Amino acid sequence: PLPATVSGRRFVACIQNHDQVGNRARGRRLTVLTDDDRLRFAIGLLCLAPTVPMLFMGEEYAATTPFMFFTSHPEPDLAVAVRRGRREEFAAFTGFGRGEVPDPQAPETHAASVLDRTDATSPAGLARRRLWTDVLRLRRTTPALATGNRTLIRELAVQPRQMAVLRDDPAGAVPVAIVANASDQDAAITVDVADTWQAVWWSTAAKYGGPDTQVRSGRTATGVRYELPPWCVAVLQPAA
């Protein structure tokens, strides 16, 4: 296992990249393959981790244009071999016929993969840009999130589809807790903390295109119980 003393800043993490998208038969992005609730959740976890987040082009505004496998080989034999190999690669998958895998040499395959910049100013694009901007700003300006020191991360609670971790401030000041619910149902998780902590950021906010469901909390005999909406990740800090 990787020693905890190795900084998270030495690693780059992503939720999709050009290899994963481009090597799919039709170059579909996560914006097409899953729903916005899960994507907001994944973005939150990515940016709140101690590793360096990497965005794939267009991901910052929820681009839906495909990124297909395309080539421009001038050698006729090589072009034929690549075209044949690409189709043979997916021949074993019942969901694809030979004509359904785009021809990598066709100009229209490349043209279909060019970003549509108008997506950036659409309502969905603006909401996604706001999500990335806010969570990255929070990461940059909160010392407990800005550090790559993995020894400052502590497990608070882990359930099959929920978790809570604590990230300490390197200077010993204000820590943060990250709570997450990776399920389709409301869920609760109890965190053993002395004070009352309040949510300062959550992925399901309306301004990000979410359902505007918030994190609710209440003290119990064993700590603070947080009720999380489906596919929600939130950042908590001690109440002032």
Side-chain angles (χ1 to χ4, degrees):
L2 184 71
T5 53
V6 178
S7 173
R9 292 297 184 266
R10 297 180 65 180
F11 300 92
V12 175
C14 65
I15 56 177
Q16 61 182 335
N17 60 44
H18 72 283
D19 283 323
Q20 293 170 325
V21 178
N23 283 306
R24 294 188 179 109
R26 302 189 187 100
R28 289 174 174 170
R29 296 169 178 264
L30 288 177
T31 43
V32 176
L33 296 174
T34 190
D35 60 61
D36 285 342
D37 291 339
R38 287 171 172 81
L39 266 179
R40 285 188 293 268
F41 178 84
I43 291 168
L45 289 183
L46 172 69
C47 294
L48 297 173
T51 50
V52 178
M54 180 181 74
L55 281 71
F56 177 49
M57 63 177 195
E59 189 175 4
E60 68 275 19
Y61 54 80
T64 57
T65 48
F67 184 75
M68 302 182 200
F69 183 88
F70 54 84
T71 56
S72 58
H73 297 301
E75 305 89 349
D77 290 346
L78 180 56
V80 170
V82 170
R83 183 183 297 115
R84 182 176 60 248
R86 183 71 175 163
R87 289 175 177 169
E88 289 176 352
E89 181 180 356
F90 294 96
F93 294 86
T94 57
F96 303 107
R98 291 185 62 85
E100 294 182 77
V101 179
D103 178 358
Q105 284 284 123
E108 54 267 27
T109 301
H110 170 265
S113 302
V114 175
L115 289 172
D116 181 355
R117 301 289 182 179
T118 62
D119 286 346
T121 54
S122 69
L126 291 171
R128 187 59 49 82
R129 288 166 61 189
R130 195 173 297 117
L131 169 63
W132 283 106
T133 298
D134 285 358
V135 71
L136 287 173
R137 180 187 296 114
L138 182 67
R139 172 192 171 102
R140 184 177 65 252
T141 58
T142 305
L145 295 175
T147 179
N149 190 336
R150 296 167 55 245
T151 66
L152 297 177
I153 302 175
R154 290 182 282 155
E155 174 188 306
L156 293 177
V158 175
Q159 299 170 186
R161 301 298 296 269
Q162 293 79 38
M163 73 166 191
V165 297
L166 187 76
R167 295 195 61 182
D168 280 316
D169 186 323
V174 182
V176 302
I178 300 166
V179 293
N181 174 24
S183 77
D184 294 322
Q185 307 295 326
D186 290 346
I189 189 165
T190 299
V191 181
D192 184 12
V193 291
D195 302 315
T196 299
W197 292 46
Q198 62 185 10
V200 295
W201 180 88
W202 53 95
S203 62
T204 52
K207 62 180 177 177
Y208 307 138
D212 203 27
T213 46
Q214 300 184 16
V215 178
R216 300 182 298 275
S217 64
R219 179 157 290 283
T220 69
T222 57
V224 179
R225 173 186 167 95
Y226 292 95
E227 297 179 3
L228 303 171
W231 296 104
C232 176
V233 57
V235 176
L236 314 174
Q237 285 187 325

